[in-house]
Amino acid sequence: MPERTVPSFGKLLAHLVSRPTILMEVCGTHTVSIFRSGIRSLLPEGLTLLSGPGCPVCVTDQSEIDAALSLASLSGVTVTTFGDLLRVPGRDGSLLDTRGRSADVRIVTSAFQALETALREPERQVVFLAPGFETTAPSTAAVVLEAAEKKTANFSVLSLHKLVPPVLRVLAADPELAVDGLLLPGHVSVILGEAPYSFLSERHGIACAIAGFEAEEILLGLTELLRQIRTNRPTVRSLYGKAVRPEGNARARELMERVFRPVDAPWRGLGVIPSSGLALREEFLPWDAAQRFPLPTNPAQVETGCRCGDILTGKLTPPECPLFDNPCTPASPVGPCMVSSEGSCAAHYRYALRGTP
Ligand code: SF4
Ligand code: SF4
């Protein structure tokens, strides 16, 4: 961001804050960008910025990691997923730990790469652990369709996908949260459009701005939220250029809807949220790892003292967790918010505590 715009935004924010105001950035990508660009230092008195539940890695439940661990322990099975997920702790350690115990766990950069692995190694059963919100679910759906078309018998998906509007519904209804405005993620909104958020402003009076991830785009989003709050006219407004059409990306949503159906899903620290996850539809069950392999049912949760649920709902800031920095650090995370580079505990640790540029 050009230096000269920093003070002007600082003054503008101060001018727009008409009363004590709480805003929440929903997405972890926003969280990191806010730290990295020094936006926190611009926040005027009376304006509080909280981090929300917008990192699929952070909200992956312990039971889901336990299911992945049990898959990784099966002979002949190769588990593939994105790098961040490998370090999320389950009941008996993380997927990374299992690699030391002869499990075949591999990092991929896309669902397509996981399918390619299966096609290349027909003697192995390749499972793709699929985390992510509406941004990544369409590409998982496309890969499932391709696997079905090719009748690939050694590929399956464990869907950990989660949906953003249902968790926002829970947040908005939480009387302890009392957020005045939400900074909504640009990439998720490219798929969803604006309509799925309208309940936030219409029913709960929460201001909403969809913003990109550059510092200036975030600052524009914050000023838009403050304007809505100041004029008492909450609405959903996109500042993400032409990328977000009001109706979103219908083709991507059709793809998701063709392959997945909504199901109740467990969120780390937040419990089970109705219709907030995606399971494969019946015609794609042969490619559903949950059907193909025996998985633990209702695994007991281990009490770690991690306060991720409170962090993800803005009730605590990371430094207020008794485990923050001791013993929980990015090198030795106790909870998932410290794992992902975009988790709020990791962002606080790196930028606020250690001052990493
Ligand atoms: S790791 Fe980042 S991009 Fe991936 S989900 Fe978490 S916040 Fe979003
Ligand atoms: S500091 Fe660690 S233990 Fe505490 S909430 Fe964050 S991730 Fe969980």
Side-chain angles (χ1 to χ4, degrees):
M1 180 171 48
E3 291 258 312
R4 64 191 162 76
T5 65
V6 174
S8 52
F9 265 114
K11 278 193 199 133
L12 183 56
L13 292 176
H15 172 71
L16 287 170
V17 176
S18 49
R19 58 174 168 85
T21 304
I22 301 176
L23 304 180
M24 174 182 269
E25 84 270 2
V26 170
C27 177
T29 316
H30 276 150
T31 303
V32 168
S33 189
I34 286 166
F35 270 112
R36 205 178 267 156
S37 59
I39 286 178
R40 280 186 174 265
S41 67
L42 297 183
L43 300 183
E45 206 173 315
L47 178 58
T48 305
L49 200 51
L50 299 174
S51 305
C55 174
V57 174
C58 299
V59 298
T60 300
D61 193 55
Q62 187 191 301
S63 63
E64 297 175 311
I65 297 295
D66 288 344
L69 289 168
S70 99
L71 284 172
S73 71
L74 298 174
S75 140
V77 170
T78 296
V79 168
T80 58
T81 192
F82 304 125
D84 272 355
L85 208 64
L86 256 56
R87 298 175 56 238
V88 177
R91 191 166 45 159
D92 295 319
S94 66
L95 283 162
L96 197 60
D97 298 330
T98 66
R99 289 219 285 204
R101 297 184 224 127
S102 77
D104 186 6
V105 178
R106 303 185 201 172
I107 294 174
V108 288
T109 52
S110 70
F112 279 100
Q113 205 187 349
L115 178 58
E116 276 167 16
T117 307
L119 295 171
R120 218 177 33 242
E121 302 182 38
E123 72 289 356
R124 310 249 348 140
Q125 277 292 333
V126 176
V127 180
F128 175 58
L129 302 182
F133 295 130
E134 288 87 344
T135 31
T136 52
S139 58
T140 307
V143 166
V144 170
L145 283 173
E146 190 172 331
E149 199 178 306
K150 290 192 158 97
K151 299 191 170 40
T152 314
N154 68 325
F155 177 76
S156 56
V157 166
L158 187 67
S159 173
L160 312 178
H161 284 300
K162 298 199 167 44
L163 302 171
V164 169
V167 74
L168 295 182
R169 213 171 285 282
V170 170
L171 284 181
D174 184 344
E176 279 183 55
L177 183 59
V179 153
D180 301 290
L182 290 170
L183 191 69
L184 298 167
H187 48 14
V188 170
S189 308
V190 168
I191 309 294
L192 286 181
E194 296 171 10
Y197 304 120
S198 58
F199 72 95
L200 290 161
S201 52
E202 287 167 11
R203 216 171 304 150
H204 300 281
I206 297 175
C208 295
I210 297 167
F213 301 99
E214 297 300 324
E216 201 162 342
E217 295 173 314
I218 292 171
L219 284 164
L220 284 172
L222 295 179
T223 52
E224 166 63 21
L225 289 174
L226 292 175
R227 273 197 194 102
Q228 290 183 28
I229 292 163
R230 195 182 166 88
T231 55
N232 201 20
R233 284 196 193 140
T235 185
V236 181
R237 172 131 193 255
S238 171
L239 303 159
Y240 200 43
K242 294 197 176 103
V244 178
R245 283 170 298 182
E247 71 283 9
N249 183 332
R251 209 179 153 266
R253 282 204 312 278
E254 272 160 27
L255 206 55
M256 275 165 61
E257 280 156 27
R258 170 137 186 240
V259 171
F260 294 114
R261 65 188 168 88
V263 286
D264 299 350
W267 292 59
R268 175 89 61 155
L270 303 180
V272 173
I273 300 181
S275 300
S276 67
L278 293 174
L280 271 72
R281 289 191 184 276
E282 204 170 336
E283 63 182 292
F284 300 107
L285 291 185
W287 293 276
D288 186 348
Q291 300 294 321
R292 188 174 292 187
F293 302 100
L295 294 180
T297 50
N298 297 323
Q301 299 273 322
V302 171
E303 198 40 69
T304 61
C306 172
R307 304 289 297 272
C308 275
D310 292 326
I311 304 287
L312 297 169
T313 50
K315 288 175 190 148
L316 281 187
T317 62
E320 290 172 313
C321 169
L323 307 185
F324 183 77
D325 194 29
N326 182 22
C328 186
T329 66
S332 177
V334 175
C337 291
M338 193 59 97
V339 171
S340 157
S341 55
E342 293 175 349
S344 45
C345 295
H348 271 262
Y349 185 92
R350 287 205 169 88
Y351 297 103
L353 188 66
R354 296 284 178 258
T356 309

